[in-house]
């Protein structure tokens, strides 16, 4: 990032930013001694997330898999954060590594969301809208970085998405155990109301990133 161009923050600063900084401090000693390369950690995180996605998909038939998915999402999320910490701690930052990290994140996001949506039998139009919103949100993040060399962390982002993928499977498990999965409110099942909430947060992030791009575009 150029020192001559000031960072232009948005008014909303998600609390996940605080945890990102804390994780960097806590994991820094381990990162300095880690024998794995940042790219290897990124691929491990992707593999863990793909397994988690399959568990989310299977949770509709075997609810216990939702809880397995939660554990895997936590591991995958920590690994995804750890690759960047290792890269900075060992001075192994590279454009190719950044590319691999972004690709792994986008594949993980779509597969995890798709696994949960399919596992809960969310109606097709809502599932499609969710996937589109998540993909567009991720695209805007990478495009802002490519165009303005700015990391758009001051908006609802992947940290909040991973948090949702911890809360949502737990809720799905409880609904299945209590046999409330088919319960409808206003013509929609609870999982579908949860899907609408996920779409709303994705749209909020999209609006925030469009606003950031507009502000950066006006900056000399």
């Amino acid at each position: 990032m150029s020192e001559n161009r000031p960072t232009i923050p948005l008014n909303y600063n998600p609390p996940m930013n605080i945890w990102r900084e804390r994780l960097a401090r806590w994991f820094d000693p381990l990162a300095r001694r880690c024998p794995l390369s940042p790219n290897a950690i990124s691929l491990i995180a992707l593999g863990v997330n793909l397994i988690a996605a399959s568990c989310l998909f299977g949770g509709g038939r075997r609810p216990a898999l939702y809880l397995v998915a939660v554990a895997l999402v936590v591991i995958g999320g920590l690994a995804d954060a750890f690759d960047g910490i290792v890269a900075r701690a060992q001075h192994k930052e590279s454009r190719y590594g950044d590319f691999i990290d972004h690709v792994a994140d986008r594949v993980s996001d779509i597969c995890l969301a798709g696994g949960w949506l399919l596992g809960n039998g969310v109606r097709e139009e809502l599932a499609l809208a969710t996937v589109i919103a998540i993909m567009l949100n991720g695209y805007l993040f990478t495009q802002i970085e490519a165009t303005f060399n700015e990391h758009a962390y001051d908006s609802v982002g992947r940290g909040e998405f991973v948090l949702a993928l911890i809360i949502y499977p737990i809720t799905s498990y409880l609904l299945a155990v209590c046999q409330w999965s088919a319960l409808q409110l206003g013509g929609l099942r609870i999982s579908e109301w949860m899907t609408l909430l996920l779409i709303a947060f994705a749209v909020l992030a999209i609006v925030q990133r469009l606003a950031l791009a507009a502000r950066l575009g006006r900056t000399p």
Side-chain angles (χ1 to χ4, degrees), residues 52-193:
S54 66
C55 290
L56 291 172
F57 175 72
R61 297 183 297 274
R62 298 178 59 187
L65 289 176
Y66 283 130
L67 300 183
V68 176
V70 169
L72 292 173
V73 168
V74 171
I75 294 171
L78 290 175
D80 180 59
F82 190 59
D83 61 0
I85 299 173
V86 170
R88 290 185 291 273
Q90 298 186 8
H91 305 289
K92 293 182 178 179
E93 297 164 293
S94 68
R95 287 183 295 178
Y96 180 67
D98 187 55
F99 171 78
I100 290 295
D101 183 55
H102 283 312
V103 170
D105 284 350
R106 300 293 80 79
V107 173
S108 294
D109 292 350
I110 296 304
C111 290
L112 287 169
W116 184 84
L117 292 165
L118 292 173
N120 283 270
V122 173
R123 61 186 65 186
E124 294 178 359
E125 58 270 26
L126 286 179
L128 179 60
T130 304
V131 170
I132 291 174
I134 291 172
M135 290 180 66
L136 181 56
N137 186 26
Y139 169 78
L140 289 176
F141 176 86
T142 54
Q143 190 59 39
I144 286 174
E145 182 178 345
T147 303
F148 302 106
N149 194 29
E150 180 82 12
H151 292 275
Y153 290 135
D154 292 327
S155 61
V156 177
R158 193 163 192 274
E160 289 77 12
F161 177 74
V162 172
L163 180 61
L165 287 173
I166 294 173
I167 296 173
Y168 275 36
I170 293 175
T171 305
S172 296
Y173 172 77
L174 293 175
L175 291 174
V177 170
C178 296
Q179 298 183 348
W180 291 344
S181 298
L183 181 65
Q184 291 194 1
L185 299 172
L188 296 176
R189 291 183 290 110
I190 295 176
S191 60
E192 292 172 336
W193 283 109

Side-chain angles (χ1 to χ4, degrees), residues 27-40:
F27 287 158
D28 184 71
L30 178 62
R32 294 180 185 278
R33 299 189 297 270
C34 181
L36 297 175
S37 70
N39 290 348

